[in-house]
């Protein structure tokens, strides 16, 4: 049995085929648009209503599962090259029109989130699911071609020093009546792992251990943040890609991130043509409701091609602060957070401004040490670290990375400054004692990438079942 994608691509005319799928529409009691999700395109199946029972035809409703057998012929009608002349038709699963939520009309994103168990059957979410798959595949392909090893870092972590955000506690203790220590705090020594554990916020620290043995590794797995930020760019559960490379400094880290992003975007352009075409027109429709100045400057695929073809702009934090300080929105107090002086943490409004200012993806580097994590390599100036963030149009931060502090004494000092117990991270410090070397890596939020490539506006709509504050349905 061929999938609809294969039938439409190969057009094996003149032979009989069996296809299975779900009804999208049935019009004029004659034309079924059948989808099996293998492609965004539907197969037109033509039924001769005189040949079939009226009762059977009545059961061809939107959402019903059908098994069809018939000859594939070239189509007389507009809109498709081939169509299936139905000889045998079986309804595998009925779909009651009165109850089925997805009728062939426009549904709001909010409505579809509430019906996330069915939304993969819509054009938009079908396209996103296929795009997610292709981008994941491209990620693995890129790293495999470049001699990286995929490393499976733990999801349950025993270290509370990852430092990237609030964590979800993992415990099997009786919540109503947990064992207590003498000081009244919970006695985790009686818990499953005999210590306190959490869901990981990042696999980086473990990936560093891998890089310092295998030279080039990457992680690609779920990460969790219990941050109460209800934004269109934050999920409580998201997938992160974290390459880590030994003997690589910040410059080669930036080269890697840029090359990698261009590769996976070009891959999607090449391999998701139909889905991107659809998502592009969806975005145009969505933006019709917005004022001109809030619409995308370029159509989706042109935007992606632009990013794939052009150099990212590399700008130091210090330069960026100068630009921001002298910017119109700063002088006219249009920013919510006015940039007063060097050392300020950049907010998403500033990131958006910089991307617009340079009209390209921007890599910011050499941030003030005190607004970045403890493990980042201290520069000779003693006040900045070898950190980099990549900012994308419409998304803001898509990548955060750094060269890691490889000097044992400096790292130890930094941990003290950040109130991190060196004993907790003895295993991490060990790598700086035995064969330490310059190394670097970055973290890319997979959903931020899918958001960018799909042109969707809310991160909840690029993952099948989003987890956000107050919501863990399905
Ligand atoms: P932000 O400032 O946007 O919250 P962050 O500084 O917390 O990001 P990092 O800790 O550097 O981000 O994580 C690396 C990458 O993971 C980010 O660049 C982003 O792509 C992604 N990311 C971080 N937090 C989330 C989240 N809550 N949901 C989805 N992706 C995220
Ligand atoms: Mn964050």
């Amino acid at each position: 049995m061929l999938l609809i994608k294969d039938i439409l691509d190969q057009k094996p005319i003149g032979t009989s085929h069996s296809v299975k799928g779900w009804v999208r529409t049935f019009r004029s009691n004659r034309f079924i648009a059948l989808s099996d999700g293998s492609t965004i395109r539907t197969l037109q199946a033509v039924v001769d209503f005189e040949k079939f029972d009226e009762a059977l035809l009545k059961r061809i409703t939107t959402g019903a599962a059908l098994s069809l057998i018939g000859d594939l012929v070239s189509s007389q009608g507009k809109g498709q090259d081939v169509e299936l002349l139905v000889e045998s038709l079986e309804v595998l699963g009925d779909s009651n029109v009165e109850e089925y939520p997805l009728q062939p009309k426009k549904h709001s994103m909010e409505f579809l989130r509430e019906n996330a168990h069915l939304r993969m059957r819509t054009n938009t979410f079908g396209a996103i699911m296929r795009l997610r798959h292709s981008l994941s595949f491209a990620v693995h392909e890129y790293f495999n071609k470049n001699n990286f090893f995929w490393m499976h870092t733990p999801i349950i972590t025993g270290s509370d020093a990852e430092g990237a955000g609030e964590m979800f506690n993992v415990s099997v203790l009786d919540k109503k009546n947990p064992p207590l220590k003498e000081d009244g705090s919970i006695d985790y020594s009686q818990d499953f792992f005999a210590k306190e554990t959490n869901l990981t916020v990042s696999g980086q620290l473990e990936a560093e251990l891998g890089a310092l043995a295998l030279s080039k590794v990457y992680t690609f797995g779920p990460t969790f943040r219990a941050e109460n930020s209800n934004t269109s760019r934050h999920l409580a559960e998201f997938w992160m890609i974290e390459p880590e490379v030994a003997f690589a400094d910040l410059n080669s880290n930036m080269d890697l991130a840029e090359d990698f992003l261009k590769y996976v975007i070009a891959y999607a352009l090449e391999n998701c043509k139909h889905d991107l075409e659809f998502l592009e027109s969806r975005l145009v429709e969505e933006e019709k409701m917005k004022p001109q100045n809030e619409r995308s400057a370029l159509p989706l695929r042109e935007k992606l091609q632009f990013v794939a073809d052009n150099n990212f702009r590399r700008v130091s934090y210090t330069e960026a602060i100068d630009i921001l300080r002298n910017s119109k929105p700063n002088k006219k107090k249009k920013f919510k957070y006015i940039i007063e002086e060097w050392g300020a943490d950049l907010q998403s409004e500033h990131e958006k401004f910089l991307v617009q200012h340079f009209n390209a993806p921007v890599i910011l580097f050499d941030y003030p040490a005190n607004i970045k994590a403890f493990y980042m390599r201290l520069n000779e100036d003693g006040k900045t670290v070898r950190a980099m963030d990549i900012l994308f149009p419409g998304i803001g931060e898509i990548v955060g990375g750094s060269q890691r502090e490889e000097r044992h004494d400096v790292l130890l000092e930094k941990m003290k400054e950040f109130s991190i117990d060196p004993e907790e991270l003895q295993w991490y410090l060990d790598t700086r004692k035995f064969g330490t070397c310059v190394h670097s890596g970055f973290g890319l939020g997979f959903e931020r990438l899918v958001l960018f490539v799909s042109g969707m506006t809310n991160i909840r709509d690029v993952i099948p079942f989003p987890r956000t504050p107050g919501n863990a349905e399905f």
Side-chain angles (χ1 to χ4, degrees):
M1 198 182 81
L2 291 178
L3 288 169
I4 288 175
K5 170 182 185 289
D6 293 326
I7 291 180
L8 297 177
D9 287 346
Q10 297 164 17
K11 306 187 182 74
I13 286 171
T15 46
S16 176
H17 293 280
S18 154
V19 284
K20 295 189 171 78
W22 295 272
V23 177
R24 277 298 170 79
T25 55
F26 183 38
R27 58 186 177 86
S28 315
N29 224 15
R30 192 171 162 80
F31 302 106
I32 304 171
L34 195 75
S35 164
D36 65 1
S38 61
T39 165
I40 194 159
R41 294 162 292 166
T42 52
L43 176 66
Q44 171 152 295
V46 188
V47 287
D48 181 350
F49 49 81
E50 288 180 352
K51 277 203 207 157
F52 295 90
D53 233 24
E54 215 188 305
L56 182 65
L57 296 180
K58 279 227 164 78
R59 293 170 61 200
I60 307 175
T61 55
T62 297
L66 302 185
S67 171
L68 304 176
I69 299 172
D71 281 339
L72 194 74
V73 299
S74 45
S75 175
Q76 315 287 307
K78 268 195 268 172
Q80 64 279 321
D81 296 337
V82 294
E83 60 192 20
L84 192 82
L85 298 181
V86 178
E87 275 143 38
S88 127
L89 184 160
E90 188 189 344
V91 178
L92 302 173
D94 289 284
S95 176
N96 185 334
V97 194
E98 308 296 317
E99 293 174 22
Y100 188 52
L102 302 180
Q103 291 307 316
K105 59 161 196 168
K106 264 218 141 0
H107 295 292
S108 73
M109 287 298 151
E110 191 49 52
F111 175 84
L112 291 172
R113 265 172 235 150
E114 284 161 15
N115 288 279
H117 58 307
L118 299 169
R119 70 176 177 170
M120 286 182 276
R121 300 176 182 201
T122 63
N123 280 334
T124 300
F125 290 93
I128 284 163
M129 292 304 295
R130 286 181 293 271
L131 186 62
R132 267 189 84 96
H133 166 80
S134 290
L135 285 170
S136 308
F137 190 81
V139 166
H140 289 301
E141 188 175 82
Y142 178 85
F143 287 127
N144 189 53
K145 277 187 181 166
N146 288 285
N147 300 311
F148 282 73
F149 299 111
W150 184 16
M151 176 170 171
H152 303 105
T153 49
I155 288 169
I156 297 174
T157 176
S159 92
D160 61 2
E162 288 170 353
E166 292 297 307
M167 296 180 132
F168 290 100
N169 202 242
V170 177
S171 170
V172 297
L173 293 178
D174 179 358
K175 282 184 196 60
K176 290 202 192 96
N177 200 8
L180 299 178
K181 291 197 286 200
E182 268 175 20
D183 66 0
S185 63
I186 294 175
D187 183 7
Y188 285 105
S189 71
Q190 295 187 47
D191 205 346
F192 189 90
F193 297 106
K195 66 182 290 193
E196 189 171 2
T197 51
N198 295 294
L199 292 179
T200 186
V201 293
S202 157
Q204 180 203 314
L205 301 189
E206 290 92 348
E208 282 187 54
L209 311 181
L212 294 173
L214 303 162
S215 280
K216 293 164 130 189
V217 300
Y218 71 105
T219 74
F220 188 179
T223 49
F224 307 85
R225 296 192 184 179
E227 48 192 9
N228 208 346
S229 41
N230 240 319
T231 78
S232 56
R233 308 179 304 128
H234 288 90
L235 291 164
E237 174 181 300
F238 64 100
W239 287 66
M240 185 129 77
I241 296 150
E242 295 176 285
E244 193 69 37
V245 186
F247 314 111
D249 63 9
L250 190 72
N251 283 324
S252 61
N253 198 30
M254 291 194 267
D255 292 342
L256 173 68
E258 182 169 342
D259 190 52
F260 166 77
L261 282 165
K262 287 175 170 170
Y263 181 89
V264 296
I265 289 169
Y267 184 94
L269 277 168
E270 183 58 35
N271 292 278
C272 306
K273 290 200 171 99
H274 295 289
D275 289 319
L276 287 176
E277 183 184 1
F278 170 80
L279 290 166
E280 180 173 295
S281 57
R282 190 209 68 84
L283 184 60
V284 169
E285 281 305 310
E286 184 184 273
E287 291 190 339
K288 277 185 184 158
M289 259 104 77
K290 292 185 178 171
Q292 194 78 41
N293 64 343
E294 284 174 31
R295 295 181 198 169
S296 312
L298 292 175
L300 182 62
R301 284 171 298 176
E302 278 179 48
K303 174 190 85 172
L304 298 176
Q305 198 65 57
F306 179 86
V307 171
D309 291 345
N310 290 282
N311 288 339
F312 296 4
R313 291 295 298 269
R314 300 184 187 189
V315 183
S316 75
Y317 167 89
T318 303
E319 273 176 82
I321 284 290
D322 278 343
I323 293 167
L324 287 166
R325 216 192 282 147
N326 295 314
S327 71
K328 248 195 207 162
N330 203 58
K331 286 182 171 159
K332 297 198 165 164
K333 306 231 183 304
K334 287 270 158 62
F335 284 142
K336 196 165 158 224
Y337 299 89
I338 303 300
I339 300 284
E340 310 269 11
E341 56 191 26
W342 192 94
D345 205 353
L346 300 185
Q347 306 295 326
S348 77
E349 57 182 350
H350 309 129
E351 298 176 347
K352 286 207 176 108
F353 178 88
L354 289 168
V355 172
Q356 268 173 1
H357 177 84
F358 289 106
N359 197 19
V362 174
I363 312 185
L364 290 184
F365 61 91
D366 284 352
Y367 281 77
N370 62 330
I371 59 169
K372 287 289 182 186
F374 74 93
Y375 49 71
M376 297 185 177
R377 176 70 159 75
L378 194 62
N379 275 312
E380 309 317 320
D381 63 12
K383 59 176 193 171
T384 59
V385 284
R386 302 244 76 193
M388 63 116 175
D389 278 4
I390 302 187
L391 315 178
F392 260 27
I395 305 285
E397 179 187 332
I398 192 164
V399 161
S402 67
Q403 185 177 320
R404 320 305 188 187
E405 184 55 73
E406 83 283 13
R407 298 163 297 183
H408 188 270
D409 52 338
V410 183
L411 186 59
L412 203 57
E413 203 48 48
K414 278 293 274 295
M415 287 170 71
K416 281 187 197 141
E417 269 171 47
F418 281 71
S419 314
I420 294 165
D421 181 2
E423 227 148 83
E424 274 284 315
L425 287 183
Q426 166 267 325
W427 48 272
Y428 185 71
L429 281 161
D430 255 8
T431 53
R432 274 65 171 174
K433 270 168 57 185
F434 309 116
T436 192
C437 67
V438 166
H439 62 287
S440 303
F442 63 83
L444 164 75
F446 184 60
E447 283 71 22
R448 298 242 177 122
L449 175 67
V450 183
L451 201 55
F452 181 73
V453 178
S454 66
M456 297 297 285
T457 37
N458 194 316
I459 201 163
R460 291 167 179 78
D461 299 328
V462 297
I463 188 164
F465 305 106
R467 269 81 183 94
T468 50
N471 175 50
E473 288 307 307
F474 310 102

